[in-house]
Amino acid sequence: MASRYHDVYAGWQRDPEGFWADAARDIDWFKPWDRVFDASQGVYGRWFTGAECNTCYNAVDRHLAGGRADQVALIHDSTITGTKRSFTYAELKREVIALASAIRNQGVGKGDRVIIYMPMVAEAAIAMLACARLGAVHSVVFGGFAAKELATRIDDAKPKLIISASCGLEPGRVVAYKPLLDGAVDLARHKPDRCLILQRPQQACDLIQGRDVDYADIVARERAAGANVDCVPVAATDPLYVLYTSGTTGQPKGVVRDNGGHMVALKWSMENEFGVKPGEAFWAASDVGWVVGHSYIVYAPLLHGCTSILYEGKPVGTPDAGAFWRVIAEHGVVALFTAPTAFRAIKKEDPQGALIPNYDLSKFRTLFLAGERADPETIKWAERNLKVPVIDHWWQTETGSPISQNPMGLGQLPVKYGSPCVPMPGYDVQVLDDAGHAVPRGTLGNVVVRLPLPPGCLPTLWNADQRFRDAYLAEFPGYYKTADAGYIDHDGYLFIMARTDDIINVAGHRLSTGGMEEVVAEHPDVAECAVIGIADEMKGQVPCGFVVLNAGVARDAASIEREVIGLVREKIGPVAAFKTVLAVKRLPKTRSGKILRGTMQKIADKEAWAMPATIDDPAILDEITVALHERGIGV
Ligand code: COA
Ligand code: AMP
């Protein structure tokens, strides 16, 4: 069957507002919009102005009226603890109401911020929905971040309440969350009024009298009292959440998501982009701390009336490389969304896919990959072994849903390996040179999106309109800068090749090398440093640090390297996967003093490189090459 994509995209181009007004009919509104798009509001305009709605109502309550009360809404499958828990839509509503009532009794109301710092437990999703029900703004912080990262987010979001847990579970290791939480609250200038702590049986924690409240106790009390909490009407343009993502410094950017446009975009994407029907099981194997978790573990599947899987475990080692197939088979998953790195890990453990035939994957229709460039080898391996379409799609925390994709619901387009396919309605994607001129098809350049961004994209950064303008809109007037470099081929397919800033992508996790440099530079023996991302077979990229020690430091360089590694783990978190540091005599620089990180990266990745014309001292690159080769890098 021919794809409807080209017609649908052309329809959006002809009448963008009509397109989104039609899509918005799939959402229940308390009050309709005055304007579909009001260019006079916000930084570049706002969607569905004047409308009132509630995201929790659309994700939960309306499915009860729509006949889904007894359908499973959410399954927590923990391969680490060997436990499974499921909630029908009716049960999910009861849980969300009990928690919403509990947090309302702690003084949280519309517009107040709540930080959620939790492992992959059902309560993390319930907490997000409870905030949405009250019109409170949640900010989920990934559990793999350390206390300092959490503290930075506390100071920016200024939450009244933090919801956390006693521990998270990594393979073979219990991660105590409470010391990280307490450390963050100590470090932060802003202090939350209360912390709600979910005690997990694997490791309980002490509660601080007067500040901490036991999650299970308080929710049980609300349940017993038969608490009710109606969904609070909020403006479509009110924030649903703030999600911090790496910027070019250690200060993360608070990406704001609104309520109305977000629901419209996600609901549309489930049917048309992911080709999933209400009632089917959808699994995004990510973490609620990332945008993929927000959009495709929690909000999109629930808005669409699907069953969503919240998985606590890894693709390998928990217990083996068949873990993903077990989950698909057991829960009748029709579509899995994960990062290519997960498949590289599986491929490495089980190169022939020998574990796959042990599971009934008859319901499984499509594999979606995003978060980093999907390398053709991994796609082909998955196609060969799973015998389903493997779809690469490209998006960012800022957009909240795919910018480009092979739209399965509209009819699959031919796959081009290495390309996340074509722009979705809402996105007029262009490639510009550094001076802002359009480049010919097939030419690499800055990938940008013509304003306005579609519903669901960030309207601004939290309390930082000017930073939003500076970071995204200033360089190419009239466009949003994605900070990705790529090209569009003659068939209109996009190819996303690299970042144009210092962000690196480690196992699908977005991290700032600038942020890591800030931490490395704190070591008392370090005079200067550089952190680059180098190619890694499994994680895509990993960071590699270079340090120049202060004159007169007599200590053993290897000990200092170990301390620097420890410092990054302590200040940013284990998720940075910062495990390589090289003490070098000097760093290569231009005559104006800019560190030649790009050239160092090319040497480490064994890519062709040319001596930069502006280099101060070419001999330093030889020293760097020798230092890398001594560690077996770039050999
Ligand atoms: N809380 C505490 N620590 C965490 C954590 C969490 N929520 N998540 C990860 N970590 C720790 C890990 O234990 C690991 O610590 P270690 O250095 O002591 O081993 C470190 O952070 C790096 O974790 P991770 O990136 O998960 O790497 P890994 O080597 O443990 O596993 C993969 C590699 C490929 C299996 C894993 O990265 C993976 O499953 N990736 C899927 C991609 C994904 O979910 N991307 C999200 C965006 S779609
Ligand atoms: P995040 O905000 O964490 O989702 O990271 C977004 C960044 O990940 C993008 O700007 C890209 O650099 C990269 N990325 C995400 N998906 C893809 C993809 N399908 N292909 C290439 N790069 C991708």
Side-chain angles (χ1 to χ4, degrees):
M1 194 186 69
S3 176
R4 292 191 294 122
Y5 164 75
H6 295 286
D7 290 344
V8 171
Y9 189 79
W12 163 74
Q13 282 176 310
R14 270 193 309 276
D15 179 12
E17 291 188 24
F19 179 92
W20 290 117
D22 273 352
R25 288 184 225 298
D26 283 341
I27 296 299
D28 283 357
W29 303 86
F30 295 150
K31 177 175 174 285
W33 51 88
D34 300 327
R35 311 269 305 260
V36 177
F37 181 71
D38 184 346
S40 70
Q41 290 197 30
V43 177
Y44 64 83
R46 299 300 307 260
W47 291 96
F48 304 109
T49 52
E52 284 182 5
C53 56
N54 183 284
T55 297
C56 181
Y57 179 81
N58 277 279
V60 181
D61 298 47
R62 82 159 171 166
H63 297 308
L64 273 71
R68 297 192 186 280
D70 297 327
Q71 181 199 308
V72 174
L74 186 68
I75 300 173
H76 176 237
D77 184 314
S78 171
T79 184
I80 298 196
T81 61
T83 57
K84 278 161 236 160
R85 235 173 119 200
S86 48
F87 302 82
T88 63
Y89 273 99
E91 288 163 344
L92 183 61
K93 182 176 169 189
R94 277 199 289 279
E95 291 298 319
V96 169
I97 287 183
L99 181 62
S101 178
I103 65 181
R104 187 177 60 184
N105 290 341
Q106 300 300 325
V108 172
K110 187 166 159 175
D112 291 332
R113 273 81 57 212
V114 175
I115 279 191
I116 300 170
Y117 182 59
M118 289 189 116
M120 286 291 282
V121 288
E123 287 79 359
I126 292 167
M128 292 162 75
L129 293 163
C131 291
R133 193 170 192 89
L134 295 172
V137 181
H138 63 70
S139 186
V140 183
V141 178
F142 177 60
F145 280 127
K148 183 170 175 281
E149 292 288 324
L150 178 57
T152 309
R153 288 153 175 81
I154 293 174
D155 277 334
D156 199 67
K158 302 193 171 40
K160 266 199 174 159
L161 177 77
I162 299 183
I163 306 179
S164 189
S166 55
C167 67
L169 305 171
E170 285 293 295
R173 167 167 86 97
V174 174
V175 182
Y177 273 41
K178 191 59 178 4
L180 299 170
L181 170 66
D182 291 345
V185 173
D186 280 350
L187 281 172
R189 287 182 305 279
H190 172 85
K191 308 290 174 196
D193 300 343
R194 288 269 180 283
C195 296
L196 212 58
I197 310 291
L198 178 77
Q199 296 279 18
R200 297 191 79 186
Q202 292 75 17
Q203 184 171 315
C205 62
D206 291 335
L207 301 185
I208 296 177
Q209 196 101 42
R211 190 200 71 182
D212 295 344
V213 178
D214 184 280
Y215 182 112
D217 278 358
I218 198 167
V219 166
R221 238 178 292 141
E222 298 295 337
R223 241 189 258 117
N228 190 28
V229 179
D230 289 332
C231 291
V232 174
V234 295
T237 49
D238 278 344
L240 168 70
Y241 69 76
V242 178
L243 176 60
Y244 290 89
T245 190
S246 296
T248 50
T249 65
Q251 180 66 33
K253 296 167 170 167
V255 167
V256 174
R257 194 81 61 209
D258 69 10
N259 276 275
H262 177 238
M263 285 196 278
V264 173
L266 289 189
K267 178 82 173 87
W268 195 87
S269 76
M270 283 301 281
E271 186 101 31
N272 297 289
E273 298 176 16
F274 291 93
V276 170
K277 302 245 170 305
E280 293 186 320
F282 184 86
W283 177 26
S286 178
D287 190 289
V288 284
W290 307 114
V291 69
V292 175
H294 281 62
S295 293
Y296 291 104
I297 296 175
V298 182
Y299 289 114
L302 297 181
L303 288 167
H304 201 46
C306 289
T307 298
S308 182
I309 321 292
L310 194 140
Y311 172 74
E312 185 176 43
K314 303 266 171 175
V316 294
T318 56
D320 58 27
F324 273 22
W325 325 135
R326 184 213 28 102
V327 174
I328 293 174
E330 234 171 79
H331 306 303
V333 169
V334 301
L336 164 65
F337 176 166
T338 191
T341 188
F343 266 72
R344 288 196 294 270
I346 295 170
K347 186 170 84 169
K348 190 165 167 230
E349 291 280 303
D350 182 14
Q352 307 305 325
L355 293 172
I356 298 174
N358 299 343
Y359 300 91
D360 172 10
L361 305 187
S362 53
K363 289 203 174 146
F364 186 49
R365 286 200 302 265
T366 327
L367 170 65
F368 294 95
L369 298 176
E372 55 171 327
R373 184 163 185 273
D375 53 292
E377 277 320 300
T378 300
I379 296 185
K380 288 178 192 167
W381 183 90
E383 281 176 342
R384 209 169 45 243
N385 286 288
L386 293 171
K387 299 181 179 56
V388 296
V390 179
I391 303 302
D392 178 13
H393 58 304
W394 166 59
W395 51 300
Q396 311 184 307
T397 304
E398 289 83 346
T399 64
S401 65
I403 308 171
S404 79
Q405 178 158 3
N406 201 326
M408 294 307 285
L410 299 179
Q412 191 183 351
L413 295 167
V415 169
K416 290 195 189 193
Y417 294 107
S419 164
C421 213
V422 291
M424 290 297 91
Y427 292 96
D428 176 355
V429 180
Q430 303 286 329
V431 181
L432 307 180
D433 64 19
D434 288 348
H437 304 120
V439 300
R441 290 271 165 123
T443 307
L444 194 72
N446 299 286
V447 184
V448 298
V449 179
R450 197 189 299 277
L451 292 173
L453 291 169
C457 289
L458 80 172
T460 189
L461 294 174
W462 182 248
N463 282 338
D465 284 353
Q466 195 52 43
R467 187 173 179 206
F468 174 63
R469 287 192 191 92
D470 294 345
Y472 298 100
L473 309 184
E475 193 167 338
F476 302 106
Y479 296 94
Y480 162 84
K481 178 176 87 165
T482 66
D484 278 319
Y487 63 92
I488 301 177
D489 77 1
H490 290 279
D491 297 321
Y493 278 56
L494 269 154
F495 288 78
I496 302 298
M497 307 309 289
R499 291 284 300 193
T500 57
D501 55 14
D502 71 355
I503 300 291
I504 58 170
N505 206 311
V506 181
H509 309 319
R510 172 171 160 177
L511 298 160
S512 158
T513 52
M516 293 184 213
E517 287 179 4
E518 285 174 23
V519 174
V520 175
E522 285 174 24
H523 190 285
D525 293 337
V526 170
E528 51 172 355
C529 67
V531 177
I532 59 170
I534 62 173
D536 180 80
E537 206 186 327
M538 189 171 56
K539 297 198 175 190
Q541 276 183 307
V542 287
C544 173
F546 297 83
V547 291
V548 177
L549 302 182
N550 285 319
V553 171
R555 298 176 56 217
D556 164 34
S559 315
I560 299 173
E561 289 171 6
R562 274 195 302 277
E563 287 164 14
V564 167
I565 289 170
L567 202 58
V568 174
R569 195 176 169 91
E570 182 201 319
K571 297 268 167 112
I572 295 180
V575 70
F578 186 82
K579 298 194 169 165
T580 308
V581 177
L582 284 69
V584 290
K585 277 206 310 255
R586 311 178 285 175
L587 290 173
K589 292 186 187 160
T590 62
R591 282 190 284 276
S592 59
K594 271 185 144 184
I595 299 173
L596 291 162
R597 293 180 181 80
T599 314
M600 289 159 78
Q601 188 220 314
K602 286 198 167 76
I603 295 172
D605 289 350
K606 279 204 326 188
E607 285 174 21
W609 59 277
M611 183 64 69
T614 55
I615 192 163
D616 187 31
D617 182 351
I620 304 179
L621 285 176
D622 294 335
E623 295 166 17
I624 295 291
T625 308
V626 170
L628 284 166
H629 286 184
E630 277 171 2
R631 300 292 174 95
I633 301 168
V635 186

